[in-house]
Amino acid sequence: MVDQVARARERFALRDYHGAVLLVQEAIVEGLAYPDAYNLLALSLALIDRPSDALVAFDKALALNPRYVEAHLNRAVVLNNLGRLEEASLGFATAERLGQRDASGFPALVGNRLANTHATLGHAYRDAGAVSEAIGQYERALELRPGFADIRLALARALLEDGRVADAAAALEAVLAARPKMLEAMLLRGLSAYLAGDLDGASAVWSRAAEHHPEEPRIEIYRSMLARRRLERHV
């Protein structure tokens, strides 16, 4: 899948805020509904004079990650510009409080950046075929920010590629506990069950995915693969 969020960041850097909005919205539909995506969407909306829509997007980012300092700050700025001064003051105060050191030993903003940096290194190692090194980077990122579902999903992918199916399944269960309708996590959880020989488990997960994402074409591909495997077992 093309990383539409990365493309949106490029458009944002070029001050094409309308283009950034369209790309992030597409990314969210495709399953990349992460706090960073909603924060970028909100910033872009604010810069094309759609503050009400921006606040909705900031709220979605904060619902996913209540400790997202940058989103609190950005939201407070929009509220301040709208003249909603009391709400803005509360937002600034929340950001300041969250900026103190947390359990990771770093201020929230620094911890977030370090976790994302480790994740970026993990992506680079994985792209280079160094899966074990990628896993190490993802695990370090999750030590700093265990609630970052996108990083845990990336870890699960790498674990599957490394043949560690049971570990991947455990990581995906953790993702789905927090985000039960997350398409990519459901597809991979079904795949991990399939690879472990648990065909009923794979079928159950992919059926649930079909209920929530009926237009997703990969589900039928996986189901066809599952049907062939079942036929082979009875030959």
Side-chain angles (χ1 to χ4, degrees):
M1 183 192 307
V2 176
D3 189 344
Q4 301 290 49
V5 176
R7 291 180 59 200
R9 290 194 183 98
E10 294 173 0
R11 300 317 306 169
F12 187 91
L14 294 171
R15 301 186 181 182
D16 176 12
Y17 305 125
H18 286 92
V21 166
L22 293 174
L23 286 167
V24 179
Q25 288 174 332
E26 184 177 339
I28 289 170
V29 169
E30 291 179 350
L32 301 179
Y34 304 134
D36 283 346
Y38 279 117
N39 183 61
L40 180 59
L41 174 61
L43 282 172
S44 302
L45 288 166
L47 289 166
I48 59 174
D49 200 26
R50 292 171 58 185
S52 297
D53 292 334
L55 291 174
V56 171
F58 280 132
D59 287 343
K60 288 181 179 179
L62 292 170
L64 293 170
N65 180 12
R67 298 186 60 84
Y68 196 164
V69 175
E70 289 175 277
H72 279 292
L73 284 173
N74 294 332
R75 182 177 181 275
V77 169
V78 173
L79 288 167
N80 189 72
N81 290 340
L82 290 171
R84 294 163 61 175
L85 303 184
E86 290 187 11
E87 293 173 83
S89 295
L90 180 61
F92 286 125
T94 300
E96 183 176 353
R97 173 175 55 82
L98 292 174
Q100 304 302 312
R101 292 180 183 272
D102 59 21
S104 71
F106 301 102
L109 186 60
V110 175
N112 291 347
R113 286 177 176 167
L114 287 172
N116 286 324
T117 298
H118 280 294
T120 299
L121 280 171
H123 300 335
Y125 276 120
R126 180 170 170 256
D127 289 343
V131 180
S132 294
E133 287 82 355
I135 290 170
Q137 292 297 327
Y138 294 139
E139 289 176 337
R140 179 64 184 119
L142 289 167
E143 288 173 8
L144 293 165
R145 290 294 178 265
F148 279 18
D150 56 332
I151 298 177
R152 197 169 298 278
L153 181 65
L155 171 63
R157 289 186 191 279
L159 288 168
L160 279 177
E161 291 173 6
D162 201 40
R164 295 168 57 181
V165 176
D167 291 335
L172 291 163
E173 286 292 339
V175 173
L176 289 169
R179 305 278 296 281
K181 297 180 183 179
M182 188 176 187
L183 173 61
E184 296 299 323
M186 284 192 281
L187 293 179
L188 287 178
R189 182 63 187 93
L191 183 60
S192 66
Y194 176 88
L195 292 173
D198 179 9
L199 303 190
D200 290 338
S203 178
V205 176
W206 288 333
S207 293
R208 190 165 73 249
E211 291 175 7
H212 295 299
H213 306 277
E215 303 302 320
E216 173 53 51
R218 288 173 292 175
I219 297 172
E220 289 309 311
I221 294 172
Y222 287 143
R223 282 173 154 178
S224 296
M225 178 177 72
L226 183 63
R228 287 196 300 270
R229 181 74 174 274
R230 280 175 163 161
L231 284 174
E232 290 170 0
R233 282 191 171 184
H234 290 88
V235 171

